[in-house]
Amino acid sequence: MPPTTNAIPRSVPIFMQRITELCGTEHADWAENFNACFANTLTTTVRRHDDGTTFLLTGDIPAMWLRDSSAQFRPYLVIAQDDPDMADLIAGLVRQQFRFINIDPYANAFNETPSGATWDQDDRTDSFGPWLWERKYEVDSLCYPIQLAWLLYRNTGLTSHFDESFVSGVRRILDTFETEQNHADSRYRFFRPNDDPRDSVPNGGFGGPFAVTGMTWSGFRPSDDACTYPYLVPSNMFAAVVMGHLQRIFTDVLDDTEIVRRAGKLQHDISDGIAQHATIRNAAGERIYAYETDGLGNALLMDDSNVPNLISAPYLGFCDADDPLYLSTRRTLLSPENPYYFEGRFARAIGSPHTPTGYVWPIAMAMQGLTSNDRAEKEHLLDQLVAADAGTHLMHESFDVNDPTQYTRPWFSWANMMFCELVMDFFGIRINT
């Protein structure tokens, strides 16, 4: 069905005025950027359909990512607590996400209509269809819609999105995670015939060697870059958390003991796999989480800006922010020992192999603040983010630590909303998790 004209829920300008007043004169620049970012997602990315679904553009790409769309709407959950129109808008997104998952749980991004549009028409994979924009399999793409469905229920009490499509989509997610606990049993392949190794799963699209660990295999990172080793630890952390959400949903709201059993087993298997196979030693000999591992003794010491990353573990609900193993990991990753940590005149933060050397990501800076117990650190990061907006009052994908006028992606809704969430967090406005 064609999209309807966007109408901003009445609660949005009221909430923006509340943030403006909280920022006051001391942080008036935060308020200016917050209002620009908070409104931008609703006015530029939302496609509200007559069938009750909501489609979200990621920004400057005409497709919807399961991951990005969840993060784009997460800060609005605070408004949805008292605004049924906003709650319905978010419920429409959940319905759309699970419709897409039922089409293909291995796809990461989808078209608004079955147009056949794709990122690259030459992609070689075992299945494709006209709804799919891209079919890079990423564990987090299946975690985010579960998280959003849970948070909508947790914050509003709404249950209308727990429909037949949701239940069948959950079963497809469980099937996929279980299959990918031993990727040898999987039919999934992905190879893009270009010269960029980040765009293809190694070994002709199948992936490199691995041992069965209990964790679930991922072809790609949340950056859409190929994994070096197939057990992406932060995505497995996220998977373990959302399996807990499913157990609550299918016990408290829906009655399906088989889904509860399967989700519980996956949560146990994945958590045990992380504990046994996902830690390494840093240069000081401290035990820290690895970013990726293969279960054969190989692992990466690094972190990426895209969430889920290791820095985000408390934000995801995997551990507490003061957990000793997390803190040793955090200190290591916010240092030159992380090859994607960059320092310059305007920022010190995490970047990504997805963007140029020396470029850091506002998403990573916002996540650093959201997982800190230090209010001064949050304030410093917000000041840096506003100072690095290149006069646009919006967040970019990444920017040069020595020259913020050099940036990637002029329009990136996920980054805008992560900035908004950090502003809200600074003033104690948080989503019930």
Side-chain angles (χ1 to χ4, degrees), residues 15-16 21 37 71 77 103 127 144 150 207 249 274 288 336 338 387 389:
F15 186 73
M16 289 162 58
E21 292 170 359
C37 291
L77 286 162
I103 290 171
S127 176
Y144 267 107
W150 163 255
I249 291 168
I274 292 170
I288 65 169
N338 174 8
D389 71 0

Side-chain angles (χ1 to χ4, degrees), residues 22-23 26-27 30 369-370 374-380 382 419-430:
L22 287 168
C23 289
E26 182 181 5
H27 296 304
W30 295 5
L370 287 165
D374 184 349
R375 201 161 186 263
E377 183 178 10
K378 298 176 191 286
E379 183 176 27
H380 179 64
L382 285 165
F419 168 79
C420 290
E421 192 168 351
L422 181 56
V423 173
M424 292 159 58
D425 178 86
F426 182 83
F427 293 112
I429 302 170
R430 300 185 178 98

